[in-house]
Amino acid sequence: MDDLSQPTIPNEKEDKSLDVGGPPNGGLIAWAQVVAAFFIFFNTCIVAGPIYDAGYPRALLFSGTSLTVFGMMMTSIAKKYWESMLAQGVTVGIGCGLLFLPSVVIMSQYFTTKVAFATGVASTGSSLGAVIYPIVFRQLEPGIGFPWAVRTIAFIMLSTSAVSLPFMRRRIPAPHRIRRMYDLAAFTERPYLFCLFGVFFGFMGVYIPFFYAEVYARTVCSSSSDHYLLSIINAGSVFGRLIPNFLADRTGPLNMQIVFGSLAAVLVFSWIAIRNTQGMLAFAVLYGFFSGTFVSLPGPIVVSLSPAHETVGTRMGMALGASGLGLLVGAPVAGAILRSHGGWVGLQAWSGALVVISAVWMLAARVAKVGFPIRAIA
């Protein structure tokens, strides 16, 4: 376990043919991802929401782009644990947090009946990036080394972000008064409050298969395709963000999230019985598809539960803050279960139970909003 808990950071002087291997399942690089993901969502709650509502989305976009690119450049030269954690975990995490909220909320200013589908199309960028960036790194690192592979990714991030910056603008003028960091009145509205609980538990459980599917395939299924499972899950998620969001504009985002969240939970529990490569490949495709709504639908759900557009940014930030806390808790607890007597079955049951609880809370939000009629749009 020592090699997992204290991994080293490759540099130009090390062997160019270094095998990237599977997920480290702990240690510096793995925990940097958790910290970065936490800051993406939590920083959105603390800073990005109120700034967006105050009328400064472009300030969020420029500062977020600068921080993410700078953080990746600093990651490429990091040599010590705290340097890598500060560069990738904190700087990149904060930068992504500033970028995430305006890219979701701004859709509601340009679409009415198609806001869910527009958000889904936009959110497929993260799925495609999650497919492309690992492949780019694995192809470049053996030839040019870890530092320049990371710098290349940073340059790609800069160039792709530069395409978005000139075009993303706020259409509706911001109110003159500065809004508070939290909209306390939202906690008195049961549909929104139940939605927060659904987001919190959903993000606690939904990403556990993302973190552990490759490790499971390698250790339990003895699969030689384990390196591609995460890319396959993210590829499936592309369609899982387009099709449900297209339907959500007709049925309601809450209704669609309940259905797809429930089916994602069924798949997680089915994961317990998988013991071969074929089963893992099928699981990766299906789970990627049905879990995609956890990223693409919370935005339209919050918009539908907000009484006025002026509060959407703050309320979205609060929802993403809840998701950040869930993400920070869920994966580490899953790792602790795996290392204890719970084993893989305990980890899988933990993930599935959390996704079920999320679906139940979303159902409660729907009932609180429109009642029990099955055909009601929510």
Side-chain angles (χ1 to χ4, degrees), residues 113 116-117 241-253 255-256 259-260 289 297 377-378:
T113 60
F117 183 60
R241 300 180 188 191
L242 289 175
I243 297 174
N245 282 56
F246 177 78
L247 298 174
D249 286 321
R250 293 158 174 76
T251 64
N255 289 335
M256 198 55 55
V259 173
F260 274 70
F289 178 76
L297 282 180
I377 297 176

Side-chain angles (χ1 to χ4, degrees), residues 2-10 24 26-30 81:
D2 292 338
D3 59 328
L4 297 181
S5 59
Q6 298 293 333
T8 57
I9 302 175
L28 169 62
I29 302 300
Y81 186 102

Side-chain angles (χ1 to χ4, degrees), residues 116 194-203 206 240-241 243-249 251-265 287 289-302 304-305 354-366 378:
F194 295 161
C195 173
L196 285 186
F197 285 123
V199 169
F200 172 73
F201 285 105
F203 274 80
V206 73
R241 300 180 188 191
I243 297 174
N245 282 56
F246 177 78
L247 298 174
D249 286 321
T251 64
L254 263 175
N255 289 335
M256 198 55 55
Q257 179 60 36
I258 293 167
V259 173
F260 274 70
S262 300
L263 293 174
Y287 186 74
F289 178 76
F290 287 106
S291 65
T293 58
F294 283 87
V295 174
S296 62
L297 282 180
I301 290 173
V302 171
S304 70
L305 298 179
L354 291 171
V355 179
V356 168
I357 294 173
S358 172
V360 170
W361 278 113
M362 288 298 182
L363 177 61
R366 180 199 185 278

Side-chain angles (χ1 to χ4, degrees), residues 100-111:
F100 188 83
L101 184 135
S103 65
V104 174
V105 178
I106 206 166
M107 299 301 166
S108 63
Q109 294 198 356
Y110 288 89
F111 295 90

Side-chain angles (χ1 to χ4, degrees), residues 92-104:
V92 175
I94 291 177
C96 290
L98 297 178
L99 289 171
F100 188 83
L101 184 135
S103 65
V104 174

Side-chain angles (χ1 to χ4, degrees), residues 48-80:
I51 292 177
Y52 176 88
D53 283 337
Y56 302 101
R58 292 178 66 78
L60 294 173
L61 295 172
F62 279 100
S63 57
T65 298
S66 301
L67 284 173
T68 51
V69 174
F70 176 73
M72 290 298 291
M73 290 295 185
M74 293 300 100
T75 300
S76 71
I77 62 174
K79 295 294 189 297
K80 299 180 180 179

Side-chain angles (χ1 to χ4, degrees), residues 16-17 24-25 55 81-82 107-108 117 141 147 155 179 200 219 225 305 312 356:
K16 300 292 186 179
S17 62
N25 195 30
Y81 186 102
W82 68 269
M107 299 301 166
S108 63
F117 183 60
E141 195 277 335
F155 282 123
R179 294 199 171 272
F200 172 73
T219 58
S225 304
L305 298 179
V312 168
V356 168

Side-chain angles (χ1 to χ4, degrees), residues 281-362:
L281 292 174
F283 169 79
V285 173
L286 292 174
Y287 186 74
F289 178 76
F290 287 106
S291 65
T293 58
F294 283 87
V295 174
S296 62
L297 282 180
I301 290 173
V302 171
V303 171
S304 70
L305 298 179
S306 299
H309 190 277
E310 291 77 10
T311 63
V312 168
T314 299
R315 291 192 175 207
M316 184 71 71
M318 293 164 60
L320 294 174
S323 66
L325 291 174
L327 189 61
L328 187 66
V329 173
V333 172
I337 293 173
L338 178 61
R339 290 178 173 85
S340 67
H341 297 293
W344 282 111
V345 174
L347 178 145
Q348 293 157 333
W350 166 249
S351 176
L354 291 171
V355 179
V356 168
I357 294 173
S358 172
V360 170
W361 278 113
M362 288 298 182

